[in-house]
């Protein structure tokens, strides 16, 4: 007998509600949930393949422990014994920083990944944290930190109400949105056009999104910050700035005007390959639109001036008065956000509180660049210990970090390594212990991270659609036990981790004058929490203390976990609303338009006005049926147009003697790869494009379908030395390469 269950899709940032069909304990189908308050029935091919992703036979079912050099199946008790025995001696002998932690992007798609890694880092005390953010969006966190004082305060475009949308380096028709959670992003763009709005796309590729746009500007890769700076200069020069209600919340306007004075459209045009009159039109249109939003994404982040570009996106929104107003770019308010504190000066945001040991790269948001993970393992210095052990949680840095060959070798030299991963992938194959979480259908779901980036405030929660298979362990319990094993509390009850967090959170809340529970007894409050287990109690706690919460009885109609469970399709919390100045946590309590680190980096951008390297440059690309390296083992999500090919412009192909479908060898600073060429005028001249996440040809993995069409790893073309200096983000776009046909 089949039944249905609701489950939010975890396969991209759009967070669509799905209705799963379940036969026995197996998911056999998925369709969009029409009653979902946010996605209203939208589904894409990835979501429709949920059953195949969930039931992939290559998913590991039991832990693996290395014995006599071989990874062998083991019990959970044996696995955690091995973790404790492997990690603790390293912490005790070399100190906590000798244990590195790598967090992959799937962590933001799970309850466990949201609730436990910060506890892990605090308990371990290690500064050696590396995440997928530094090969993705760290520049945006840094620019938000510097402008608003909070690295997680990221304004999102008000897609459903804006009159004018300017997208830079974003392709939501394939990605379905990123740092902007919007189910049916394509439909929302079409609706923008249908109501008379305009869509402009700036991208060196004529992507599906660019084809939908009213105007496509095929900029030279890596020069977005120059173009945006020129737009800001035009706004000042032509008297088009109008901060409106923002005026009282902003400081540094005159300094900003001086700082962008050199970046005239005429000065940046040769570097960007965008005509000066076009840049002026872009600026004037932005200023003239009744409402407008500028939105930059991965193509504008993973470049040498990623932080400057991310900063300028918000600068343009501010200068045109579009930040924090309907139709512009607003700060979402998630149900599990902290209790809003009164507006006023905060602690501010600092970079470089510590540095990487070898290259002296500054931390950003507590993280070191993923690009330098290999050297932090394989290079000895007199300053501190190299990383000797690694905890890898839902990450595959051998494919996602620059120079995978070097990292592959470095991982092989570690004293000990743990992978929390459902697959024996290119990274996990080096582990001494692999701890496999259950498939998504057997896990609860709530979008702690993506609701803070959503274009509409809403809240949804799913309990597991299917009970845990015998022999499985919940991912939340795996991470709680991992924390205990590496912090010297191996064997304690994992609920102790949740109890500790609840106790600490309530202890702090009752001391805060603005908290609804100020002055109350933390133990009495803890006893009021509901939920079937520790993670649910923590969700209840966050909901009740959050901006829509019941405040433990203070607002009787407010949110609680019980109330949310009574709304299986979610609760709509309304459109985004202006929130300033409350989200600001800068030391001044205002938006600091020209923070010192940004001002200090502008001379580098000025230098870029005079540089125009000859030769080909590489950019990435995304496919609708793909998500980084996660989904290449699912037959229905590979093949067809989702292939690892080199896109090259017809004129470049002719000049270099490349034929369509023929093999080409692409060389970069870090190495070379050979892949089939696909000749297309969808890339501009001088640019070649390879997708990321491929390269499933290393021995010792268990990814049987992915291995049949492995593709090549684009990151092998990088040597890890190209970084955006402020954020430590890897430069993945606009990278110089050469290309020859393989005869
Ligand atoms: S758009 Fe994203 S969240 Fe929605 S169904 Fe597709 S993969 Fe899932």
């Amino acid at each position: 007998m089949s039944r249905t269950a609701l489950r939010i899709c975890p396969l991209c940032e759009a967070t669509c509600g799905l209705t799963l069909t379940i036969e026995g304990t197996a998911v056999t189908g998925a369709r969009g949930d029409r009653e979902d308050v946010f996605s209203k029935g939208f589904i894409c091919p990835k979501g429709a393949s949920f059953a195949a992703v969930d039931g992939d036979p290559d998913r590991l079912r039991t832990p693996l422990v290395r014995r006599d050099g071989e990874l062998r199946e083991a019990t959970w008790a044996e696995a955690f014994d091995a973790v404790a025995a492997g990690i603790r001696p390293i912490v005790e002998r070399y100190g906590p920083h000798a244990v590195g932690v790598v967090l992959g992007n799937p962590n933001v798609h799970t309850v466990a990944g949201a609730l436990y890694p910060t506890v892990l880092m605090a308990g371990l005390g290690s500064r050696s944290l590396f995440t997928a953010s530094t090969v993705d969006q760290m520049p945006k966190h840094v620019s938000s930190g510097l402008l608003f004082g909070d690295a997680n305060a990221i304004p999102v475009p008000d897609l459903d109400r804006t009159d004018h949308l300017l997208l830079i380096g974003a392709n939501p028709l394939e990605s379905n949105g990123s740092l902007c959670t919007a189910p049916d992003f394509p439909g929302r763009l079409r609706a923008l056009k249908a109501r008379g709005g305009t869509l402009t796309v700036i991208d060196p590729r004529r992507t599906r999104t660019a084809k939908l746009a009213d105007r496509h500007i095929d900029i030279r890769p890596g020069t977005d910050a120059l173009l945006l700076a020129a737009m800001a200069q035009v706004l000042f020069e032509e008297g088009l700035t109008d901060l409106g209600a923002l005026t009282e919340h902003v400081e540094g306007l005159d300094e900003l005007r001086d700082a962008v004075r050199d970046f005239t459209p005429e000065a940046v045009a040769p570097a960007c390959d965008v005509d000066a009159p076009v840049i002026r039109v872009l600026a004037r249109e932005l200023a003239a639109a009744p409402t407008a939003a500028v939105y930059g994404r991965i193509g504008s982040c993973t470049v040498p001036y990623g932080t400057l570009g991310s900063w300028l996106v918000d600068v343009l929104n501010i200068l045109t008065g579009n930040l924090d107003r309907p139709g512009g770019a607003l700060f979402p308010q998630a149900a599990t956000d902290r209790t809003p504190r009164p507006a006023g000066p905060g602690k501010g945001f600092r970079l470089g509180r510590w540095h990487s040991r070898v290259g002296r790269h500054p931390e950003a948001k507590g993280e070191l660049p993923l690009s330098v993970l290999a050297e932090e393992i394989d290079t000895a210095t007199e300053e501190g210990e190299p990383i000797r052990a690694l905890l890898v949680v839902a990450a595959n840095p051998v494919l996602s970090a620059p120079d995978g060959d070097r990292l592959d070798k470095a991982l092989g030299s570690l004293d000990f390594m743990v992978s929390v991963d459902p697959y024996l992938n290119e990274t996990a194959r080096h582990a001494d212990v692999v701890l496999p979480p259950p498939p998504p259908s057997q896990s609860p779901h709530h979008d702690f991270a993506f609701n803070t980036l959503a274009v509409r405030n809403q809240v949804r929660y799913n309990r597991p659609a299917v009970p845990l298979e015998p022999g499985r362990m919940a991912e939340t319990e795996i991470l709680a036990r991992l924390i205990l094993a590496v912090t010297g509390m191996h064997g304690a009850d994992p609920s102790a981790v949740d109890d500790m967090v609840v106790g600490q959170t309530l202890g702090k809340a009752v001391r805060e004058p603005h908290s609804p529970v100020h002055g109350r007894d933390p133990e009495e409050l803890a006893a009021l929490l509901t939920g079937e287990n520790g993670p649910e109690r923590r969700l209840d706690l966050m909901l009740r203390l959050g901006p829509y919460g019941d405040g433990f009885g203070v607002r009787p109609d407010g949110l609680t976990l019980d109330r949310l469970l009574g709304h299986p399709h979610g609760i709509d919390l309304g459109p985004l609303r202006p929130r300033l100045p409350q989200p600001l946590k800068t030391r001044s309590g205002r938006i600091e338009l020209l923070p010192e680190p940004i001002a200090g980096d502008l001379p580098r951008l000025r230098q870029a006005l005079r540089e125009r390297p000859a030769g080909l440059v590489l950019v990435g690309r995304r496919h609708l049926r793909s998500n980084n390296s996660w989904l290449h083992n699912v037959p229905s999500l590979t093949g067809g147009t989702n292939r690892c090919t080199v896109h090259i412009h017809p004129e470049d192909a002719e000049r270099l003697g490349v034929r369509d479908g023929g093999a080409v060898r692409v060389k970069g600073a870090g190495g070379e790869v050979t892949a089939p060429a696909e000749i297309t005028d969808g890339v501009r001249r001088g640019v070649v494009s390879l997708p990321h996440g491929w390269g499933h040809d290393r021995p010792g993995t268990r990814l049987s379908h992915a291995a049949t069409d492995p593709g090549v790893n684009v990151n092998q073309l990088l040597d890890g030395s190209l970084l955006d200096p402020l954020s430590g983000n890897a430069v993945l776009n606009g990278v110089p390469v050469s290309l020859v046909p393989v005869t």
Side-chain angles (χ1 to χ4, degrees):
M1 246 227 342
S2 72
R3 64 181 176 93
T4 59
L6 299 174
R7 177 61 160 79
I8 298 162
C9 178
L11 301 180
C12 89
E13 299 184 31
T15 72
C16 302
L18 303 181
T19 303
L20 305 181
T21 306
I22 296 164
E23 317 266 351
T25 55
V27 180
T28 55
R31 61 180 196 276
D33 171 19
R34 287 208 191 90
E35 292 175 67
D36 184 281
V37 293
F38 194 25
S39 62
K40 301 187 187 319
F42 180 78
I43 189 169
C44 86
K46 288 202 293 284
S49 295
F50 183 99
V53 174
D54 201 66
D56 185 342
D58 280 344
R59 281 181 182 274
L60 300 173
R61 291 193 143 65
T62 60
L64 303 177
V65 174
R66 193 172 294 280
R67 294 195 187 106
D68 305 324
E70 297 273 320
L71 279 171
R72 299 175 198 274
E73 292 191 354
T75 65
W76 288 101
E78 289 166 342
F80 284 108
D81 285 349
V83 172
I87 296 292
R88 285 311 299 166
I90 292 172
V91 175
E92 278 152 23
R93 179 158 178 203
Y94 301 109
H97 310 317
V99 179
V101 176
V102 183
L103 302 175
N105 133 282
N107 281 296
V108 284
H109 295 264
T110 65
V111 167
L115 292 183
Y116 295 89
T118 41
V119 190
L120 171 69
M121 294 314 295
L124 194 57
S126 171
R127 289 178 164 180
S128 304
L129 173 63
F130 307 81
T131 85
S133 294
T134 50
V135 287
D136 190 341
Q137 84 286 359
M138 187 57 89
K140 193 73 213 171
H141 288 303
V142 171
S143 71
S144 278
L146 295 171
L147 274 166
F148 310 126
D150 180 352
N152 290 321
I154 295 178
V156 301
D158 192 5
L159 291 185
D160 299 337
R161 291 181 289 184
T162 194
D163 297 292
H164 182 86
L165 186 61
L166 178 63
L167 302 183
I168 302 149
N171 184 12
L173 261 72
E174 302 278 6
S175 69
N176 272 308
S178 177
L179 293 190
C180 175
T181 287
D184 194 12
F185 208 127
R188 291 173 198 261
L189 293 186
R190 289 188 191 102
L192 158 72
K193 294 190 64 175
R195 65 177 179 264
T198 53
L199 173 65
T200 299
V201 171
I202 297 175
D203 199 306
R205 295 177 50 234
R206 198 172 69 253
T207 60
R208 285 178 61 207
T209 310
K211 286 178 191 161
L212 181 71
D214 299 283
R215 184 189 287 120
H216 170 215
I217 312 273
D218 64 339
I219 192 168
R220 202 164 69 82
T223 63
D224 317 279
L226 287 171
L227 182 136
L228 297 172
M231 288 176 65
Q233 190 275 340
V234 172
L235 294 178
F236 281 119
E237 179 195 320
E238 300 190 3
L240 299 175
T241 60
D242 180 4
L243 278 67
L246 292 173
T247 307
E248 61 176 309
H249 304 306
V250 167
E251 66 171 41
L253 194 62
D254 292 338
E255 293 82 354
L256 175 66
R257 180 190 291 110
D258 289 344
V260 298
R261 201 181 295 276
D262 306 351
F263 296 98
T264 63
E266 292 70 22
V268 308
C272 301
D273 272 355
V274 180
D275 292 340
V278 173
I279 299 173
R280 289 187 184 278
V281 168
L282 290 176
R284 289 168 191 155
E285 283 181 355
L286 190 67
T291 62
V294 185
Y295 163 71
R297 210 27 302 266
I298 194 148
S300 64
C301 278
T302 51
V303 291
Y305 313 99
T307 301
L308 293 178
S310 298
W311 163 71
L312 284 159
V313 164
D314 287 326
V315 162
L316 289 173
N317 285 327
I318 294 164
L319 293 181
T320 52
N322 281 303
L323 183 78
D324 200 47
R325 76 165 169 182
L330 296 115
F331 298 97
Q333 178 87 83
T336 52
D337 280 351
R338 290 211 181 114
T339 314
R341 67 178 187 90
K347 288 186 182 154
F349 173 78
R350 282 177 55 209
L351 287 166
R353 292 164 298 169
W354 59 88
H355 290 75
S356 68
R357 184 180 52 85
V358 181
R360 308 301 300 156
H361 296 283
E363 64 74 37
K365 205 168 162 269
E367 301 180 22
L368 298 174
L370 189 61
S371 295
V372 306
L373 174 59
E375 73 182 26
E376 290 294 299
I377 297 171
D378 69 14
T379 306
T381 65
E382 286 182 2
E383 278 192 52
E385 290 293 330
I387 290 175
R388 294 174 181 272
L390 205 59
L391 309 175
V392 181
V393 184
N396 191 357
V398 169
L399 293 192
S400 58
D403 198 351
D405 283 352
R406 179 176 177 184
L407 184 58
D408 201 39
K409 219 166 141 196
L411 296 183
S413 73
L414 288 166
D415 292 355
F416 197 77
M417 177 174 153
V418 180
S419 259
V420 179
D421 208 286
Y423 289 109
L424 190 59
N425 62 24
E426 293 76 10
T427 298
R429 73 195 178 106
H430 289 290
D432 295 282
V433 179
V434 183
L435 304 168
S441 64
Q442 296 175 31
S443 302
H445 193 87
H446 174 75
D447 285 297
F448 291 93
F450 297 127
N451 286 350
T452 69
L453 298 161
V455 297
R456 193 168 172 96
N457 294 318
Q458 39 69 45
V459 58
R460 294 165 293 162
Y461 174 66
N462 308 133
R463 281 184 165 157
V466 171
L468 269 184
E469 230 178 307
R472 291 277 191 193
M473 182 178 279
E475 189 173 6
T476 47
E477 185 176 339
I478 292 172
L479 293 192
R481 287 189 184 276
L482 179 67
I483 291 166
L484 295 170
V486 302
T487 55
M489 293 190 283
H490 177 47
D493 188 327
S495 65
V497 174
D498 299 309
D499 291 344
M500 180 196 72
V501 175
V502 167
Q504 285 176 349
T505 307
L506 284 171
K508 189 162 174 252
V510 298
R511 293 194 300 276
E512 290 175 335
H514 63 272
S515 168
V517 295
H518 178 62
R520 290 176 66 178
D521 173 9
E523 284 184 20
E524 169 236 323
L525 297 170
L528 296 174
L529 291 172
T530 64
E532 290 180 341
N533 47 43
E536 282 201 347
R537 283 161 49 80
R538 288 175 64 186
L539 175 59
D540 190 36
L541 172 67
M542 292 167 83
L543 292 171
R544 299 178 84 164
L545 289 180
Y548 311 92
D550 82 333
F552 286 83
V554 174
R555 295 179 292 263
D557 58 348
L559 265 181
T560 64
L561 177 63
D562 274 346
R563 180 153 180 245
L564 184 53
L565 286 167
H567 293 76
H569 305 280
I571 299 174
D572 181 40
L573 299 169
L576 304 188
R577 285 181 273 274
R579 290 181 54 205
L580 287 177
Q582 189 276 327
L584 301 177
K585 293 183 187 162
T586 51
R587 284 176 180 269
S588 62
R590 307 176 86 196
I591 298 172
E592 297 178 358
L593 261 188
L594 186 64
E596 191 279 323
I598 294 282
D601 201 26
L602 279 172
R604 202 170 57 89
L605 189 63
R606 222 163 262 127
Q607 182 73 20
L609 289 169
R610 292 184 287 280
E611 289 168 358
R612 194 188 158 105
L616 292 174
V617 293
L618 176 79
V619 300
R621 72 176 187 268
R622 174 77 180 257
H623 193 277
L624 177 59
R625 288 181 296 142
S626 196
N627 190 354
N628 304 329
S629 61
W630 308 10
L631 300 172
H632 293 151
N633 206 48
V634 180
S636 60
L637 295 177
T638 52
T641 52
N642 186 16
R643 291 171 57 233
C644 187
T645 57
V646 181
H647 282 189
I648 180 167
H649 189 274
E651 288 179 20
D652 291 322
E654 189 179 347
R655 180 171 54 82
L656 296 166
V658 172
R659 63 179 177 79
D660 197 40
V664 291
R665 185 176 302 126
V666 187
K667 273 191 189 178
E672 60 181 50
V673 298
T674 300
E678 205 175 330
I679 299 176
T680 168
D681 64 1
V683 283
R684 53 169 282 153
R685 286 172 206 83
V687 175
V688 292
S689 168
L690 259 171
H692 68 280
W694 295 86
H696 305 286
D697 54 357
R698 294 180 193 267
T701 64
R702 281 187 220 164
L703 293 161
S704 51
H705 176 71
T708 62
D709 187 9
V712 296
N713 184 4
V714 64
N715 289 333
Q716 201 48 57
L717 299 172
L718 312 168
D719 65 2
S721 65
L722 288 178
L723 300 178
D724 168 37
L726 290 180
S727 65
N729 209 92
V731 174
L732 307 174
N733 281 301
V735 178
V737 291
S738 62
L739 180 148
V740 289
V742 179
T743 51

